[in-house]
Amino acid sequence: MLTFKKFFATLALLLVTASTCAAAETNFEPLAAGYVEGEKQILMLIRDGNDGELYFMPFDAEAETGAFIKFDRKIYDFYLNRDSDGTFSPLIFVMATPRQSDPVDDKLGVWNGDTHLIPVYALFDMRDGQFVFDAPNFYSGEETLTPSHYHSNIKNPIHDRLIKTLITKMPLLHADVEAKGLQLP
């Protein structure tokens, strides 16, 4: 239970500082969550009470940090679609995170104050029902949100865990959305 209290305290801090927020009084509502009891990562689906926008929020309790990723059906359903060869397409999205103590990824993406906006190109596979990541597997571009080539490795272990949380917890988030009967765009 302490983990979830820390989660909501950190969520409040992130909501005030993240670039996805128009103002400090933005009101976010948790809608669904994908997590495994005892693990330190959770994926939430949240709604901005001011404009109704949806966001994914992977959170890592160990690092006491999270990220915002604007909801997109392609991201939500990424693991349900394989190409004709049976492989998955790369998952591409922009992740907003607070400044990290390790500056190794600071040149990736762009900065908006202390909010780091990182374009992500994530490679993954699924074997025996489990997501697998054959390193290197997460890439980005430098000094842009729309790289023509994702050629820079994402190296910060916190960013790595947040991306893996988004990917590995998505089926659990789907299950919670379905159990709650939520209708998503």
Side-chain angles (χ1 to χ4, degrees), residues 136-183:
N137 45 318
F138 304 140
Y139 301 93
S140 188
E142 295 182 10
E143 300 178 0
T144 182
L145 286 180
T146 56
S148 60
H149 300 288
Y150 292 81
H151 59 275
S152 299
N153 291 346
I154 294 176
K155 298 176 183 173
N156 187 310
I158 294 171
H159 295 153
D160 187 84
R161 284 196 309 265
L162 292 171
I163 296 165
K164 286 179 179 173
T165 299
L166 175 75
I167 293 171
T168 61
K169 303 297 187 224
M170 190 62 76
L172 297 171
L173 183 68
H174 269 246
D176 197 36
V177 165
E178 185 176 313
K180 293 177 176 175
L182 299 174
Q183 299 299 313

Short mmCIF file of all heavy atoms in Angstrom, two decimals, residues 136-183:
data_model
loop_
_atom_site.label_atom_id
_atom_site.label_comp_id
_atom_site.label_asym_id
_atom_site.label_seq_id
_atom_site.Cartn_x
_atom_site.Cartn_y
_atom_site.Cartn_z
N PRO A 136 20.43 -3.89 -28.40
CA PRO A 136 19.67 -2.69 -28.00
C PRO A 136 18.29 -2.70 -28.63
O PRO A 136 18.11 -3.21 -29.72
CB PRO A 136 20.52 -1.54 -28.56
CG PRO A 136 21.23 -2.13 -29.73
CD PRO A 136 21.43 -3.59 -29.42
N ASN A 137 17.34 -2.16 -27.92
CA ASN A 137 15.96 -2.28 -28.38
C ASN A 137 15.17 -0.98 -28.35
O ASN A 137 14.10 -0.92 -28.92
CB ASN A 137 15.23 -3.34 -27.56
CG ASN A 137 15.50 -3.21 -26.09
OD1 ASN A 137 16.63 -2.97 -25.70
ND2 ASN A 137 14.51 -3.36 -25.25
N PHE A 138 15.69 0.06 -27.71
CA PHE A 138 14.98 1.33 -27.66
C PHE A 138 15.87 2.43 -28.23
O PHE A 138 17.00 2.62 -27.79
CB PHE A 138 14.57 1.68 -26.23
CG PHE A 138 13.74 0.62 -25.55
CD1 PHE A 138 13.95 0.31 -24.23
CD2 PHE A 138 12.77 -0.08 -26.24
CE1 PHE A 138 13.20 -0.66 -23.59
CE2 PHE A 138 12.00 -1.05 -25.62
CZ PHE A 138 12.22 -1.35 -24.30
N TYR A 139 15.31 3.17 -29.19
CA TYR A 139 16.07 4.20 -29.89
C TYR A 139 15.33 5.51 -29.86
O TYR A 139 14.12 5.56 -29.63
CB TYR A 139 16.31 3.79 -31.35
CG TYR A 139 17.05 2.50 -31.49
CD1 TYR A 139 16.37 1.29 -31.61
CD2 TYR A 139 18.45 2.48 -31.50
CE1 TYR A 139 17.06 0.09 -31.73
CE2 TYR A 139 19.14 1.28 -31.63
CZ TYR A 139 18.45 0.10 -31.74
OH TYR A 139 19.13 -1.08 -31.85
N SER A 140 16.06 6.59 -30.14
CA SER A 140 15.47 7.92 -30.19
C SER A 140 16.25 8.77 -31.18
O SER A 140 17.15 8.28 -31.86
CB SER A 140 15.49 8.57 -28.79
OG SER A 140 14.75 9.77 -28.80
N GLY A 141 15.87 10.03 -31.26
CA GLY A 141 16.58 11.00 -32.08
C GLY A 141 17.00 12.16 -31.21
O GLY A 141 16.44 12.37 -30.13
N GLU A 142 17.97 12.91 -31.66
CA GLU A 142 18.49 14.02 -30.87
C GLU A 142 17.93 15.35 -31.35
O GLU A 142 17.82 15.59 -32.55
CB GLU A 142 20.02 14.04 -30.93
CG GLU A 142 20.62 12.81 -30.28
CD GLU A 142 22.14 12.80 -30.29
OE1 GLU A 142 22.76 13.83 -30.63
OE2 GLU A 142 22.71 11.75 -29.95
N GLU A 143 17.55 16.18 -30.37
CA GLU A 143 17.11 17.55 -30.59
C GLU A 143 15.91 17.69 -31.51
O GLU A 143 15.77 18.68 -32.22
CB GLU A 143 18.29 18.40 -31.08
CG GLU A 143 19.43 18.42 -30.07
CD GLU A 143 20.63 19.21 -30.54
OE1 GLU A 143 20.62 19.75 -31.66
OE2 GLU A 143 21.59 19.29 -29.76
N THR A 144 15.01 16.72 -31.49
CA THR A 144 13.78 16.79 -32.27
C THR A 144 12.74 15.83 -31.68
O THR A 144 13.10 14.86 -31.02
CB THR A 144 14.02 16.44 -33.76
OG1 THR A 144 12.78 16.58 -34.47
CG2 THR A 144 14.56 15.04 -33.93
N LEU A 145 11.48 16.09 -31.95
CA LEU A 145 10.41 15.16 -31.59
C LEU A 145 10.02 14.29 -32.77
O LEU A 145 9.28 13.32 -32.60
CB LEU A 145 9.17 15.92 -31.09
CG LEU A 145 9.29 16.53 -29.71
CD1 LEU A 145 8.00 17.26 -29.34
CD2 LEU A 145 9.62 15.48 -28.66
N THR A 146 10.48 14.65 -33.95
CA THR A 146 10.13 13.90 -35.16
C THR A 146 11.39 13.53 -35.94
O THR A 146 11.64 14.05 -37.02
CB THR A 146 9.19 14.73 -36.03
OG1 THR A 146 9.83 15.99 -36.32
CG2 THR A 146 7.85 14.97 -35.36
N PRO A 147 12.19 12.61 -35.39
CA PRO A 147 13.42 12.25 -36.08
C PRO A 147 13.14 11.52 -37.40
O PRO A 147 12.19 10.74 -37.49
CB PRO A 147 14.15 11.33 -35.10
CG PRO A 147 13.13 10.91 -34.11
CD PRO A 147 12.02 11.90 -34.14
N SER A 148 13.97 11.79 -38.39
CA SER A 148 13.86 11.03 -39.64
C SER A 148 14.48 9.65 -39.46
O SER A 148 14.10 8.71 -40.14
CB SER A 148 14.54 11.78 -40.78
OG SER A 148 15.91 11.98 -40.50
N HIS A 149 15.43 9.55 -38.53
CA HIS A 149 16.06 8.27 -38.19
C HIS A 149 16.20 8.21 -36.67
O HIS A 149 16.64 9.17 -36.06
CB HIS A 149 17.45 8.14 -38.81
CG HIS A 149 17.44 8.20 -40.30
ND1 HIS A 149 16.96 7.17 -41.07
CD2 HIS A 149 17.83 9.16 -41.16
CE1 HIS A 149 17.07 7.49 -42.34
NE2 HIS A 149 17.58 8.71 -42.43
N TYR A 150 15.81 7.11 -36.11
CA TYR A 150 15.98 6.89 -34.67
C TYR A 150 17.30 6.15 -34.50
O TYR A 150 17.34 4.93 -34.48
CB TYR A 150 14.82 6.05 -34.14
CG TYR A 150 13.49 6.76 -34.17
CD1 TYR A 150 12.73 6.83 -35.34
CD2 TYR A 150 12.98 7.34 -33.02
CE1 TYR A 150 11.50 7.48 -35.35
CE2 TYR A 150 11.75 7.99 -33.02
CZ TYR A 150 11.02 8.05 -34.19
OH TYR A 150 9.81 8.69 -34.20
N HIS A 151 18.39 6.90 -34.40
CA HIS A 151 19.71 6.29 -34.42
C HIS A 151 20.43 6.33 -33.07
O HIS A 151 21.49 5.74 -32.94
CB HIS A 151 20.58 6.98 -35.48
CG HIS A 151 20.72 8.45 -35.24
ND1 HIS A 151 19.80 9.35 -35.68
CD2 HIS A 151 21.67 9.15 -34.57
CE1 HIS A 151 20.17 10.56 -35.31
NE2 HIS A 151 21.30 10.47 -34.64
N SER A 152 19.88 6.99 -32.08
CA SER A 152 20.54 7.09 -30.78
C SER A 152 19.89 6.12 -29.80
O SER A 152 18.67 6.08 -29.67
CB SER A 152 20.42 8.52 -30.23
OG SER A 152 21.05 9.43 -31.10
N ASN A 153 20.73 5.35 -29.11
CA ASN A 153 20.22 4.41 -28.11
C ASN A 153 19.70 5.17 -26.89
O ASN A 153 20.32 6.14 -26.46
CB ASN A 153 21.32 3.46 -27.64
CG ASN A 153 21.74 2.48 -28.69
OD1 ASN A 153 21.07 2.31 -29.70
ND2 ASN A 153 22.87 1.84 -28.47
N ILE A 154 18.60 4.71 -26.35
CA ILE A 154 18.12 5.21 -25.06
C ILE A 154 18.90 4.42 -24.01
O ILE A 154 18.82 3.19 -23.97
CB ILE A 154 16.59 5.02 -24.92
CG1 ILE A 154 15.90 5.92 -25.95
CG2 ILE A 154 16.14 5.32 -23.50
CD1 ILE A 154 14.40 5.77 -26.01
N LYS A 155 19.66 5.12 -23.19
CA LYS A 155 20.59 4.46 -22.27
C LYS A 155 20.21 4.56 -20.81
O LYS A 155 20.64 3.74 -20.01
CB LYS A 155 21.99 5.06 -22.46
CG LYS A 155 22.56 4.83 -23.84
CD LYS A 155 23.90 5.51 -24.01
CE LYS A 155 24.41 5.34 -25.43
NZ LYS A 155 25.62 6.11 -25.67
N ASN A 156 19.42 5.56 -20.43
CA ASN A 156 19.08 5.73 -19.03
C ASN A 156 18.24 4.55 -18.57
O ASN A 156 17.19 4.26 -19.15
CB ASN A 156 18.31 7.05 -18.84
CG ASN A 156 18.07 7.38 -17.39
OD1 ASN A 156 17.58 6.56 -16.63
ND2 ASN A 156 18.38 8.60 -17.00
N PRO A 157 18.67 3.85 -17.50
CA PRO A 157 17.90 2.68 -17.05
C PRO A 157 16.48 3.01 -16.60
O PRO A 157 15.59 2.17 -16.70
CB PRO A 157 18.73 2.11 -15.90
CG PRO A 157 19.80 3.09 -15.62
CD PRO A 157 19.88 4.07 -16.74
N ILE A 158 16.24 4.22 -16.14
CA ILE A 158 14.88 4.61 -15.74
C ILE A 158 14.00 4.73 -16.98
O ILE A 158 12.88 4.22 -17.00
CB ILE A 158 14.90 5.92 -14.93
CG1 ILE A 158 15.60 5.69 -13.60
CG2 ILE A 158 13.48 6.45 -14.72
CD1 ILE A 158 15.87 6.96 -12.81
N HIS A 159 14.50 5.38 -18.02
CA HIS A 159 13.74 5.46 -19.27
C HIS A 159 13.47 4.07 -19.81
O HIS A 159 12.36 3.77 -20.28
CB HIS A 159 14.48 6.31 -20.31
CG HIS A 159 14.62 7.74 -19.91
ND1 HIS A 159 15.65 8.53 -20.35
CD2 HIS A 159 13.87 8.53 -19.10
CE1 HIS A 159 15.53 9.74 -19.85
NE2 HIS A 159 14.45 9.76 -19.08
N ASP A 160 14.47 3.21 -19.75
CA ASP A 160 14.34 1.83 -20.21
C ASP A 160 13.20 1.12 -19.47
O ASP A 160 12.34 0.48 -20.08
CB ASP A 160 15.67 1.11 -20.00
CG ASP A 160 15.69 -0.27 -20.60
OD1 ASP A 160 15.95 -0.39 -21.81
OD2 ASP A 160 15.46 -1.25 -19.84
N ARG A 161 13.18 1.26 -18.14
CA ARG A 161 12.13 0.60 -17.34
C ARG A 161 10.75 1.17 -17.64
O ARG A 161 9.75 0.43 -17.68
CB ARG A 161 12.43 0.69 -15.85
CG ARG A 161 13.51 -0.26 -15.40
CD ARG A 161 13.56 -0.45 -13.90
NE ARG A 161 13.61 0.78 -13.13
CZ ARG A 161 14.73 1.35 -12.69
NH1 ARG A 161 15.90 0.82 -12.95
NH2 ARG A 161 14.67 2.45 -11.98
N LEU A 162 10.65 2.49 -17.86
CA LEU A 162 9.35 3.09 -18.16
C LEU A 162 8.82 2.58 -19.50
O LEU A 162 7.63 2.29 -19.63
CB LEU A 162 9.45 4.61 -18.17
CG LEU A 162 9.70 5.25 -16.80
CD1 LEU A 162 10.01 6.74 -16.96
CD2 LEU A 162 8.53 5.03 -15.86
N ILE A 163 9.69 2.44 -20.49
CA ILE A 163 9.28 1.92 -21.79
C ILE A 163 8.87 0.45 -21.66
O ILE A 163 7.82 0.04 -22.19
CB ILE A 163 10.40 2.09 -22.83
CG1 ILE A 163 10.69 3.57 -23.06
CG2 ILE A 163 10.04 1.39 -24.14
CD1 ILE A 163 12.01 3.85 -23.78
N LYS A 164 9.66 -0.33 -20.95
CA LYS A 164 9.31 -1.74 -20.74
C LYS A 164 8.00 -1.88 -19.97
O LYS A 164 7.21 -2.79 -20.25
CB LYS A 164 10.45 -2.48 -20.02
CG LYS A 164 11.63 -2.75 -20.91
CD LYS A 164 12.74 -3.46 -20.17
CE LYS A 164 13.91 -3.74 -21.12
NZ LYS A 164 15.08 -4.28 -20.43
N THR A 165 7.75 -0.98 -19.03
CA THR A 165 6.49 -1.01 -18.28
C THR A 165 5.32 -0.76 -19.20
O THR A 165 4.30 -1.46 -19.13
CB THR A 165 6.52 0.02 -17.13
OG1 THR A 165 7.58 -0.32 -16.23
CG2 THR A 165 5.20 0.05 -16.37
N LEU A 166 5.44 0.24 -20.08
CA LEU A 166 4.37 0.50 -21.05
C LEU A 166 4.08 -0.77 -21.87
O LEU A 166 2.92 -1.15 -22.04
CB LEU A 166 4.77 1.64 -21.99
CG LEU A 166 3.79 1.91 -23.13
CD1 LEU A 166 2.55 2.62 -22.61
CD2 LEU A 166 4.45 2.72 -24.23
N ILE A 167 5.12 -1.42 -22.33
CA ILE A 167 4.95 -2.58 -23.20
C ILE A 167 4.44 -3.80 -22.43
O ILE A 167 3.45 -4.42 -22.82
CB ILE A 167 6.27 -2.89 -23.94
CG1 ILE A 167 6.58 -1.75 -24.92
CG2 ILE A 167 6.20 -4.24 -24.64
CD1 ILE A 167 7.96 -1.82 -25.54
N THR A 168 5.10 -4.14 -21.33
CA THR A 168 4.77 -5.39 -20.64
C THR A 168 3.45 -5.33 -19.87
O THR A 168 2.81 -6.36 -19.67
CB THR A 168 5.89 -5.82 -19.68
OG1 THR A 168 6.08 -4.80 -18.68
CG2 THR A 168 7.20 -6.05 -20.44
N LYS A 169 3.04 -4.16 -19.44
CA LYS A 169 1.80 -4.04 -18.66
C LYS A 169 0.58 -3.74 -19.52
O LYS A 169 -0.54 -3.71 -19.01
CB LYS A 169 1.94 -2.96 -17.58
CG LYS A 169 3.10 -3.17 -16.62
CD LYS A 169 2.96 -4.43 -15.82
CE LYS A 169 4.05 -4.50 -14.77
NZ LYS A 169 4.67 -5.79 -14.65
N MET A 170 0.76 -3.52 -20.82
CA MET A 170 -0.38 -3.17 -21.67
C MET A 170 -1.46 -4.26 -21.69
O MET A 170 -2.65 -3.93 -21.60
CB MET A 170 0.08 -2.82 -23.09
CG MET A 170 -1.02 -2.21 -23.93
SD MET A 170 -1.67 -0.63 -23.31
CE MET A 170 -0.34 0.48 -23.78
N PRO A 171 -1.11 -5.54 -21.79
CA PRO A 171 -2.19 -6.56 -21.74
C PRO A 171 -2.98 -6.51 -20.43
O PRO A 171 -4.20 -6.72 -20.42
CB PRO A 171 -1.44 -7.88 -21.89
CG PRO A 171 -0.18 -7.53 -22.63
CD PRO A 171 0.19 -6.16 -22.10
N LEU A 172 -2.31 -6.21 -19.32
CA LEU A 172 -2.99 -6.10 -18.03
C LEU A 172 -3.89 -4.87 -18.00
O LEU A 172 -4.99 -4.90 -17.44
CB LEU A 172 -1.98 -6.04 -16.89
CG LEU A 172 -1.10 -7.28 -16.74
CD1 LEU A 172 0.01 -7.02 -15.74
CD2 LEU A 172 -1.94 -8.48 -16.34
N LEU A 173 -3.43 -3.79 -18.63
CA LEU A 173 -4.27 -2.60 -18.73
C LEU A 173 -5.51 -2.90 -19.57
O LEU A 173 -6.62 -2.52 -19.21
CB LEU A 173 -3.48 -1.43 -19.34
CG LEU A 173 -4.25 -0.11 -19.44
CD1 LEU A 173 -4.52 0.46 -18.06
CD2 LEU A 173 -3.48 0.88 -20.29
N HIS A 174 -5.32 -3.62 -20.67
CA HIS A 174 -6.47 -4.04 -21.50
C HIS A 174 -7.48 -4.80 -20.65
O HIS A 174 -8.70 -4.55 -20.76
CB HIS A 174 -5.99 -4.95 -22.64
CG HIS A 174 -5.65 -4.23 -23.90
ND1 HIS A 174 -6.38 -4.39 -25.05
CD2 HIS A 174 -4.67 -3.36 -24.19
CE1 HIS A 174 -5.85 -3.65 -26.01
NE2 HIS A 174 -4.81 -3.01 -25.52
N ALA A 175 -7.00 -5.72 -19.84
CA ALA A 175 -7.90 -6.53 -19.01
C ALA A 175 -8.69 -5.66 -18.04
O ALA A 175 -9.89 -5.87 -17.84
CB ALA A 175 -7.10 -7.60 -18.26
N ASP A 176 -8.03 -4.66 -17.43
CA ASP A 176 -8.72 -3.79 -16.49
C ASP A 176 -9.73 -2.89 -17.21
O ASP A 176 -10.83 -2.66 -16.71
CB ASP A 176 -7.71 -2.96 -15.70
CG ASP A 176 -8.31 -2.34 -14.44
OD1 ASP A 176 -9.18 -2.98 -13.80
OD2 ASP A 176 -7.93 -1.21 -14.10
N VAL A 177 -9.36 -2.38 -18.38
CA VAL A 177 -10.28 -1.57 -19.17
C VAL A 177 -11.53 -2.39 -19.51
O VAL A 177 -12.67 -1.91 -19.37
CB VAL A 177 -9.60 -1.03 -20.46
CG1 VAL A 177 -10.62 -0.51 -21.47
CG2 VAL A 177 -8.58 0.05 -20.12
N GLU A 178 -11.32 -3.62 -19.94
CA GLU A 178 -12.44 -4.50 -20.27
C GLU A 178 -13.30 -4.82 -19.05
O GLU A 178 -14.52 -4.77 -19.09
CB GLU A 178 -11.92 -5.80 -20.91
CG GLU A 178 -13.03 -6.70 -21.40
CD GLU A 178 -12.49 -7.93 -22.11
OE1 GLU A 178 -11.59 -7.77 -22.95
OE2 GLU A 178 -12.97 -9.02 -21.80
N ALA A 179 -12.64 -5.12 -17.92
CA ALA A 179 -13.37 -5.45 -16.70
C ALA A 179 -14.23 -4.28 -16.22
O ALA A 179 -15.31 -4.48 -15.67
CB ALA A 179 -12.39 -5.85 -15.59
N LYS A 180 -13.75 -3.06 -16.47
CA LYS A 180 -14.49 -1.87 -16.05
C LYS A 180 -15.48 -1.40 -17.10
O LYS A 180 -16.23 -0.45 -16.88
CB LYS A 180 -13.52 -0.75 -15.70
CG LYS A 180 -12.71 -1.06 -14.46
CD LYS A 180 -11.71 0.02 -14.16
CE LYS A 180 -11.01 -0.32 -12.83
NZ LYS A 180 -9.94 0.61 -12.53
N GLY A 181 -15.48 -2.05 -18.27
CA GLY A 181 -16.41 -1.68 -19.33
C GLY A 181 -16.16 -0.31 -19.91
O GLY A 181 -17.10 0.32 -20.41
N LEU A 182 -14.91 0.13 -19.91
CA LEU A 182 -14.58 1.45 -20.44
C LEU A 182 -14.60 1.42 -21.96
O LEU A 182 -14.11 0.47 -22.57
CB LEU A 182 -13.19 1.90 -19.96
CG LEU A 182 -13.01 2.04 -18.47
CD1 LEU A 182 -11.56 2.35 -18.15
CD2 LEU A 182 -13.92 3.14 -17.93
N GLN A 183 -15.14 2.46 -22.55
CA GLN A 183 -15.15 2.61 -24.01
C GLN A 183 -14.07 3.62 -24.38
O GLN A 183 -14.13 4.76 -23.93
CB GLN A 183 -16.52 3.10 -24.49
CG GLN A 183 -17.66 2.15 -24.18
CD GLN A 183 -17.47 0.80 -24.84
OE1 GLN A 183 -17.15 0.72 -26.03
NE2 GLN A 183 -17.66 -0.27 -24.09
#
